[in-house]
Each structure stands twice: as structure tokens, then as C-alpha cells.
Amino acid sequence: MSYLPTDASDFASKAIDGFVAAHPRHVQRTDGGVIRLAPIPAGQVGVVVGGGSGHYPAFAGLVGRGLAAGAVCGNIFASPSAGQVLRVGSAVERGAGLLLSFGNYAGDVLHFTLGAERLRRQGIDVRIVTVTDDIASAPIDQPELRRGIAGGLVVYKVAGAAAEAGLPLDEVERLARKANGRTRSLGVAFSGCTLPGASQPLFEVPSGRMAIGMGLHGEPGLSEGPLTDPNSLAALLVERLLTERPADVPEDQQRLVVLLNGLGSFKYEELFVLFGAVNQELLARGVVLADCECGELVTSLDMAGVSLSLCWLDAELEGFWSAPADSAAYRRGALTPLPQAQNALLGRFEAVEKALEQRVEELGALDAVAGDGDHGLGMLRGIRGARQSAIRACTRGCSTGEVLMEAGEAWSDHGGGTSGALWGGALLAAGNSIAQASELGTTEIAAAFDAALQAVVGLGKAAPGDKTMVDALQPYCQKLHSELQAGVPLDQALHIAAETCLLAAKATAEMLPKLGRARPHGSRSLGHPDPGAMSLAYCLIAATQDQPAT
């Protein structure tokens, strides 16, 4: 494989050192592999990929913004160790957990699993998604036995984009599994690959033949066939892959990402000839090419071969596949900072979520006085759904008003119950108010809170004195207006109004409930503040000072 005399024992390590030196804008060296140079924000999931070296641009070349946070790099065709997984994972963890993703090979599974266990002992939430796209390596009814080859790029890209968007670990894992479940690959080889320092390839393909279903580690093909022209090869690859269309994809609605991957010494011009044939074959079968990549994506040293990968998209996957990314070997779009207003809005959502996480038991206990005790959990479900929806909306470039409206719909869907409906309605009304404004200043923000109050009153039919969240929201709006009219800066006025809201919420302890589930048990709630009013106050306090009220 190598034309320069090298020492096989340290070839991989020196290659990684040289890669880091060649790409100082994207990566930095760490013990066990590489990590992205761009800062990883606190609270962002760390996506860690990896495996043996010899597959560039996988895995180190896929480290950067919008892709992997780090890559664990083993020796040539050898799994990295559990210690390497531990060290790279620790280097990129920022409090939101880690997703480890790699090809489904025995050594990788063993060491990444052991590394994950060691990371979990440090209190880190770790999930594992193995890539299983190679249809030649196991039957369709045993997907868990399949190897991971070039389709891993789709999994890493989707997971990296989801993490970059600020989604929580549960969502990043779900999306990675979804991408893997909708991706299929098949490869052929015309010659084997040669390890550094070796004089003979790991396997040979007879003249005039091709190996079908070879692996990425020098494994020979699982079958052989006669060498064919581009059109025949395209037909073979496309037909076998399309027979594995996911069950939930209608035959007349196939929208695909197409990856044609060179395995090391298959010339780009030949790739382009073959891609043209693949393109014609797919079009003739009525599928839509939503996007494509044609080049070296996952190689096997100097193997002469090619693989075709198809990923069946839906709207959700397509958004993350198309999201910007910037790594040494893969770039897409432009990663730009969010507008200041939207960045601040997402920060407030995050602060509210943290506050409700700390108050969930307290709010549940308040609700249990005259209800079923689920208010804290319902509020937590609501804010989590709303925040994830807001992140997605910001990533798509939605306006502030549109972000709030989408967050409102998500809060209603996820929160459920009375509080879910009221909070959803309030955010929808506030977002609609802002969306109709020509600018976003103090007057427009105060008007948005007024719209939220009107929505809550209209939906819940409550009035001041009924012992509901209206008893806290109305004083908040009144105080906000009075402070702004007095010339108080917006941030300070919001904080003062939030403190007024908290005092008003606490004062509901002396009221008897006149609406809702608590009304028949009114006397029992006397002396206890209304949970809806208190949760509103905690949310507004958190949103103005990024910490829960004391």
C-alpha cells in the first residue's frame, strides 16, 4: 500500500499526527484520536465516531462542526481500545451526554461498549448506535448482524447535525437510529488492499472477476461475479439495494440520498462514469435523487472497489442531512451564528427547562394537594418539547415569532392536560403577535405578553381571584408595562415583573379555587399556592436571570 518505507507499528499514529498538522483549522490531537477545534458549547451532545485507521476520510476527516465532535482512531484495520474511547469521550463531553457510533464489527463493539461503561461510571450518559448498512453481510431479517460500511456517513451526519442544533441525547440517538435503519449499502472490489509494510494484498480477485459484498477491513467478497460494464454494474447495485426499501416508505414516494464511494484506488473519472449509469438506473425506476455524494467517503487503504449507498429520506432526516457541516473532509453550507435575538430566546428556553427540572417534585406536591400531582411532570414534558421544536425552527431560519408559535404547538402536544393547552395557547398568541409586528422592540414584547394573557383567559375562562395562573400572569403584564413606561430598560423590567409575578403566585395560597379540578376540593388547597401560578412564576424568573428562584 505505502510507497515510502514505513514502520507498520507506528504508521497509524504518525498518520494521525500528520493529519492534525495538515488541518489545523478543524482538529486537534487528543490521547486516543482527534477532537474538533471549534469550541463545543456547554449542554451540547458529543457525537463520537471511530474505528480502525485506513479508512480516510472516515473517521478523523469527519470531525468538525455539524458532524462528529471527536474520532477514536485505532491502528490500521484494528479497533481502538476502551481506554481510547474513554479519553476521547471525556474530551468532548459538555454535560449533555455522548453518542458513540461506529461500524458493527466485533472488536469495535467490544471496545466501544467497555469504553461506554467506563464513561458511565463517571456519571456520563452514553448511548451507542452501531452502523449496519451492508446488505451483503446478513439477511434482511437479521439487521443486527450486518456490518457498517459507507452508509455510516449518513448516520454520522444526521447525528452530528442534531447535536449541533442543540437537541438532547434522546433525540440525537433516535435520529441516528432512524438514519441507520433507512440506509442500505453494497460494494464490489476488483482487487484487495495491502497493509503498510506488507508485500502482498490481503486477498486477490481473479482476473475478469469482481468480489461482491467485500468488507472495509480487507475481508474478501462474500461472492464473486463476472466483471461487468458500468451499466450492468449500476443495475446490479441498484436492483439489490432497492429490494430492501424500508417497509414504511411507499414505492411511489422514494426520495433518496445516493452515495457512490470509491474504496481507495478507484479513479474519480471511473466513479463519475459509474455514477452516471447509477443515476440513469434510479431515474428509470422512478425514484427521486434528493441529494448525492460521489467520491472517496470511506476507503479501505488502496483497495480497488466501489460501494453504493442509498438512504430513504423523510422530511425530518432530510433537514439534518442538509444542515451545514464543516470538517476537514466534508463541508456543506455555511455555519453561521444564530441572530442575537434567537440565540437569547433559546437561552431562555434552556434556563426555564433547568428550573422546571429542579422544581418538578415541588410542583407535583402542590398539585397533589387538590389534584393528581402531575403538574410538575406535565410542565417538564411541555418545556422539553417546546425547546426542541424551537431549536429546529431556529436551525431552519424561522423568525422569532415563528419560533414561538412552533414551540407553542410542541408544548401543547408534549405537555398535555390543562397546563399544556394554556401554555401552548400562550406561546402561539405571543408568537403570532410578534410575527405581525414590523419590528421587535420593547412595545412589541410587552404586547406579546398581553396577547399571551388574553389567550390564557380565553382558553381557561378564568378571571383574577379564581386561583389560577391568571392571578400571576396579569400582575406580571401590568408591572412590565408600568416599568417600561417609567423608562426602565427591558431586561431589568422583565426581571422586576417576574419578581412581582412570584409574589402574586405565592399570594394565591389565601384563595379558594373556583375553576378546574381543584374546585371541588377548594378548602383542602387553602394555605397552598396554585401550582399553575407558581410554575409560571418560576419560568419567568428563570427566563430573566438564568437560574431558578429561591
Side-chain angles (χ1 to χ4, degrees), residues 58-78:
F59 297 91
L62 304 179
V63 172
R65 293 185 65 195
L67 261 162
V72 192
C73 304
N75 289 319
I76 298 294
F77 292 173

Side-chain angles (χ1 to χ4, degrees), residues 307-453:
S307 67
L308 179 66
S309 301
L310 304 181
C311 175
W312 282 261
L313 295 176
D314 61 8
E316 181 178 50
L317 286 180
E318 187 163 359
F320 290 107
W321 167 258
S322 301
D326 183 25
S327 71
Y330 188 90
R331 299 179 185 88
R332 175 184 289 270
L335 283 154
T336 57
L338 290 173
Q340 184 175 359
Q342 291 192 2
N343 197 43
L345 180 61
L346 291 181
R348 295 183 195 276
F349 271 110
E350 182 179 4
V352 169
E353 181 177 343
K354 289 179 179 178
L356 288 174
E357 285 175 350
Q358 296 182 19
R359 301 283 188 178
V360 63
E361 292 186 5
E362 174 190 340
L363 294 170
L366 277 178
D367 189 36
V369 172
D372 60 6
D374 68 346
H375 182 69
L377 290 173
M379 288 292 293
L380 192 56
R381 289 194 301 268
I383 182 58
R384 285 176 173 167
R387 180 172 171 242
Q388 291 173 26
S389 180
I391 290 169
R392 292 191 183 98
C394 286
T395 302
R396 298 199 313 272
C398 294
S399 68
T400 300
E402 292 169 334
V403 172
L404 284 173
M405 286 190 283
E406 293 204 15
E409 291 181 355
W411 193 310
S412 179
D413 289 342
H414 289 79
T418 302
S419 65
L422 294 178
W423 272 89
L427 287 173
L428 280 167
N432 185 57
S433 175
I434 289 174
Q436 294 182 18
S438 58
E439 60 182 30
L440 185 56
T442 57
T443 300
E444 290 73 26
I445 290 174
F449 279 107
D450 289 340
L453 173 61

Side-chain angles (χ1 to χ4, degrees), residues 472 500-510 527-530 533-534 537-538 550:
T500 298
C501 178
L502 181 59
L503 291 174
K506 290 179 177 179
T508 62
E510 305 308 316
H528 301 278
D530 177 66
M534 290 299 295
Y538 289 148
T550 56

Side-chain angles (χ1 to χ4, degrees), residues 44-45 47 66-67 155-168 171-173 175-176 319-321 323 391-392 395:
Q44 180 169 306
V45 172
V47 175
L67 261 162
V155 180
Y156 309 148
K157 176 65 181 65
V158 168
E164 195 72 38
L167 296 186
E171 281 293 283
V172 176
E173 179 189 16
L175 288 162
F320 290 107
W321 167 258
I391 290 169
R392 292 191 183 98
T395 302

Side-chain angles (χ1 to χ4, degrees), residues 463 465-469 471 508-509 511-513 525-530:
D466 287 343
K467 195 169 186 173
T468 69
M469 65 186 293
D471 292 299
T508 62
M511 299 177 182
L512 288 172
S525 72
L526 195 62
H528 301 278
D530 177 66

Side-chain angles (χ1 to χ4, degrees), residues 510-527:
E510 305 308 316
M511 299 177 182
L512 288 172
K514 299 178 182 178
L515 291 173
R517 185 182 300 155
R519 182 184 57 80
H521 309 283
S523 59
R524 189 182 302 171
S525 72
L526 195 62

Side-chain angles (χ1 to χ4, degrees), residues 120-453:
R120 291 179 184 124
R121 288 199 291 269
Q122 295 183 356
I124 298 172
D125 191 355
V126 183
R127 314 290 174 82
I128 290 176
V129 175
T130 54
V131 179
T132 56
D133 58 308
D134 180 16
I135 68 169
S137 55
I140 191 171
D141 60 349
Q142 295 180 302
E144 72 282 357
L145 299 181
R146 288 181 166 179
R147 303 177 298 201
I149 51 176
L153 174 63
V154 180
V155 180
Y156 309 148
K157 176 65 181 65
V158 168
E164 195 72 38
L167 296 186
L169 185 56
D170 285 345
E171 281 293 283
V172 176
E173 179 189 16
R174 180 185 68 80
L175 288 162
R177 292 190 184 282
K178 183 177 182 180
N180 182 62
R182 282 174 165 251
T183 303
R184 310 283 191 271
S185 300
L186 179 63
V188 299
F190 312 111
S191 72
C193 56
T194 306
L195 294 174
S199 59
Q200 297 294 325
L202 290 173
F203 69 92
E204 294 183 355
V205 180
S207 177
R209 306 283 289 176
M210 62 182 181
I212 302 172
M214 77 301 139
L216 285 179
H217 300 91
E219 304 97 333
L222 299 174
S223 64
E224 277 189 9
L227 191 61
T228 63
D229 61 67
N231 291 337
S232 298
L233 178 56
L236 182 152
L237 295 172
V238 168
E239 167 137 15
R240 292 202 184 181
L241 291 173
L242 287 184
T243 59
E244 294 227 355
R245 172 175 50 90
D248 60 339
V249 177
E251 187 173 0
D252 60 348
Q253 296 179 24
Q254 298 189 69
R255 186 171 173 83
L256 302 176
V257 168
V258 180
L259 309 178
L260 189 63
N261 171 58
L263 283 159
S265 62
F266 196 72
K267 296 297 184 181
Y268 267 73
E269 285 79 1
E270 285 188 289
L271 273 175
F272 297 147
V273 169
L274 181 57
F275 188 85
V278 167
N279 182 54
Q280 290 300 318
E281 189 71 27
L282 288 168
L283 292 177
R285 293 169 180 267
V287 302
V288 177
L289 276 68
D291 196 19
C292 59
E293 296 287 344
C294 181
E296 291 186 345
L297 308 172
V298 182
T299 59
S300 184
L301 291 176
D302 61 343
M303 183 185 290
V306 63
S307 67
L308 179 66
S309 301
L310 304 181
C311 175
W312 282 261
L313 295 176
D314 61 8
E316 181 178 50
L317 286 180
E318 187 163 359
F320 290 107
W321 167 258
S322 301
D326 183 25
S327 71
Y330 188 90
R331 299 179 185 88
R332 175 184 289 270
L335 283 154
T336 57
L338 290 173
Q340 184 175 359
Q342 291 192 2
N343 197 43
L345 180 61
L346 291 181
R348 295 183 195 276
F349 271 110
E350 182 179 4
V352 169
E353 181 177 343
K354 289 179 179 178
L356 288 174
E357 285 175 350
Q358 296 182 19
R359 301 283 188 178
V360 63
E361 292 186 5
E362 174 190 340
L363 294 170
L366 277 178
D367 189 36
V369 172
D372 60 6
D374 68 346
H375 182 69
L377 290 173
M379 288 292 293
L380 192 56
R381 289 194 301 268
I383 182 58
R384 285 176 173 167
R387 180 172 171 242
Q388 291 173 26
S389 180
I391 290 169
R392 292 191 183 98
C394 286
T395 302
R396 298 199 313 272
C398 294
S399 68
T400 300
E402 292 169 334
V403 172
L404 284 173
M405 286 190 283
E406 293 204 15
E409 291 181 355
W411 193 310
S412 179
D413 289 342
H414 289 79
T418 302
S419 65
L422 294 178
W423 272 89
L427 287 173
L428 280 167
N432 185 57
S433 175
I434 289 174
Q436 294 182 18
S438 58
E439 60 182 30
L440 185 56
T442 57
T443 300
E444 290 73 26
I445 290 174
F449 279 107
D450 289 340
L453 173 61

